[in-house]
Amino acid sequence: MLHSPARALLAIISLVSLAGMPARGATPAPARPPAMAPAEIVAAAPDADWTRIDPADLIVMDLAPDIQGSPRRVVIQLLPAPFSQGWIGNIRTLATAHWWDGTSINRVQDNYVVQWGDPDGEDKTRAKPLPAGLARVPQEDYTSKVFAAPEMISRKPDAYAPGTGIDAGWPVGFGKDRMWPLHCYGMVGVGRDMPPDTGSGAELYAVIGHAPRQLDRNIALVGRVIDGMEHLSSLPRGTGEIGFYKTAPERTPILSIRQGSDVPGLPAYQYLATISDSFRRYADARANRRDPFYIRPAGGIDICNLPVPVRRAK
Amino acid sequence: MLHSPARALLAIISLVSLAGMPARGATPAPARPPAMAPAEIVAAAPDADWTRIDPADLIVMDLAPDIQGSPRRVVIQLLPAPFSQGWIGNIRTLATAHWWDGTSINRVQDNYVVQWGDPDGEDKTRAKPLPAGLARVPQEDYTSKVFAAPEMISRKPDAYAPGTGIDAGWPVGFGKDRMWPLHCYGMVGVGRDMPPDTGSGAELYAVIGHAPRQLDRNIALVGRVIDGMEHLSSLPRGTGEIGFYKTAPERTPILSIRQGSDVPGLPAYQYLATISDSFRRYADARANRRDPFYIRPAGGIDICNLPVPVRRAK
């Protein structure tokens, strides 16, 4: 016997289509080989379905080598306009000023975030001076005016936003007249104090656990990790309050952070275009696993379980 | 301008209550101090709201010490009946036989799972013999007959299940007449090949990333990590196919796995009872963050973003 609120819920859900996530204006899919896994669809995507990421929109963080002496490079793609451009301008200024060089990763909280910047940033007498010209960005910029619906709209309801989708390769939420990026795994945001406009971009964090979507619209997102995520997610967890390291030697030193256009020999990166047929088939396959291992396709997916494929260009 | 499918979606969503997750039969909340954070509510919960976990329902995995020589202990709570009891019986047999001693962690795939067991398990000529008496459990047991609605039912729709909730401290999905545990962060499941009844329980995995809910009802869950999760989540990622380590030295040795009742000096563990007022307030606060940092409460939460608090008894 189900409890009556559950019955009411089921009645509502039955109105919602169980279908996957069609691209806007998509035509019916061509015949396809049965039972391809999502990764196989991505591997088979033609070059034309991949979109180049401008190196000027990348931030490259080199951590101190690991204990075996291997380099640890983390590559972050910055969000495009109209999202968070005030903070992103600050991040470009900080990178160009080499401000992060010699700072560190100061916090690793399990199933939540890795955070980096000036370990003395909270202490006014010891904080590293910030470069001139940083903007103070208002909290209104946590979201943006919507100019168009996302390229791909989820038909599945979401617990946090009236609507969700993928737009130009980014997970977004939207309401009547605003749109915002989402706190999915690997997304990078701007640490702040109170009030909400105190985050400059000098203190950054990356999501290393289940999507903390409660942060959406409460803090600025500026990008996502597209390469080297394992160098952040596998760091030792901090044993202090909310995952801060208790002592300086536990922190991982940051050798440098640069804009991608200033890094010689950086690979060319590409993401699978949201509007491509490959992406549409990838999204459908992730929402409805029909490859042989699966005996029961889910019939849906939450937006943060649909990571946008990124690759080094061939 | 919103695209018309989004408008349709919004119309449907408007039917769904934006409220949090009330306990079944809950009475109105007593007056409470404003703006407590979820962790503060948990810290203030009276002892009567905590339920003891029987040490016989724990599995204790001791990994080889880390590079500093510190011990690494992982404590896993097994699911209660009616879930997965065939595999859990096998796990008790394997632990009692000390079968895992000398095996290893063989796979760490970022944002997905850590997996352990016999590294040669796939190779019939080299596989470690299993103890006698293991059951072959049918795939029907991935789910269970529902005997009652969960103690707490989410009012938010879910992309993967007709209904979700928390029952006796566990995240569950349910449909008309079945109920099943969910692949949230830290949950532990049974690796398998094809066909679906090939998982004995000797090969186990833990979720270390965003909830891979597509696995629900496709594989057996048997428990969750309640202590020492960081010893799994911070392991170096495997560089081979789907995160398997390429060489034996990369694997982390397992010294022993025992039932909790066979481990001297194990702390007593407790979870916050789903039916307690503290849990109800904790769930409401996580779905509607009103503590000072938040400027915009989400008005909802997905079921895997509501981890059940567990503590060592005072």
Side-chain angles (χ1 to χ4, degrees), chain A residues 133-181:
Chain A
L134 298 187
R136 188 152 182 135
V137 192
Q139 69 183 65
E140 287 70 30
D141 288 4
Y142 295 160
T143 65
S144 294
K145 284 276 181 200
V146 175
F147 295 100
E151 290 171 343
M152 177 174 278
I153 295 173
S154 174
R155 290 189 182 173
K156 280 289 179 183
D158 180 87
Y160 302 89
T164 61
I166 308 278
D167 195 58
W170 294 88
V172 295
F174 58 94
K176 268 206 318 283
D177 57 3
R178 310 287 291 181
M179 191 164 160
W180 54 90

Side-chain angles (χ1 to χ4, degrees), chain B residues 97-255:
Chain B
H98 300 185
W99 183 82
W100 278 290
D101 301 12
T103 64
S104 54
I105 293 178
N106 306 314
R107 176 191 184 192
V108 184
Q109 184 173 1
D110 196 57
N111 192 22
Y112 197 44
V113 295
V114 166
Q115 191 170 318
W116 63 92
D118 177 8
D120 299 317
E122 302 275 301
D123 178 347
K124 278 182 182 153
T125 62
R126 301 177 60 208
K128 185 171 181 172
L130 291 166
L134 298 187
R136 187 148 184 139
V137 193
Q139 70 184 64
E140 287 69 31
D141 288 5
Y142 295 161
T143 65
S144 292
K145 283 277 179 196
V146 175
F147 296 100
E151 291 171 344
M152 177 174 278
I153 294 174
S154 173
R155 290 189 182 173
K156 280 289 180 183
D158 180 86
Y160 302 89
T164 62
I166 309 277
D167 194 58
W170 295 88
V172 294
F174 57 93
K176 269 205 318 281
D177 57 3
R178 307 289 290 182
M179 191 163 158
W180 54 90
L182 304 181
H183 275 85
C184 298
Y185 188 87
M187 291 290 284
V188 174
V190 173
R192 68 161 168 91
D193 293 321
M194 304 279 290
D197 66 353
T198 50
S200 66
E203 188 84 13
L204 296 172
Y205 63 88
V207 172
I208 59 162
H210 188 75
R213 296 279 311 279
Q214 72 276 9
L215 293 172
D216 295 352
R217 296 187 272 179
N218 281 287
I219 197 164
L221 285 168
V222 290
R224 67 171 158 221
V225 177
I226 61 166
D227 204 0
M229 182 65 193
E230 68 278 12
H231 301 309
L232 300 179
S233 57
S234 68
L235 288 171
R237 275 48 182 162
T239 54
E241 195 78 22
I242 62 170
F244 278 94
Y245 292 117
K246 284 180 181 163
T247 62
E250 296 173 275
R251 299 175 190 143
T252 300
I254 294 173
L255 302 182

Side-chain angles (χ1 to χ4, degrees), chain A residues 9-24:
Chain A
L9 177 66
L10 288 172
I12 290 162
I13 287 173
S14 68
L15 299 175
V16 179
S17 165
L18 286 174
M21 305 177 72
R24 181 171 53 180

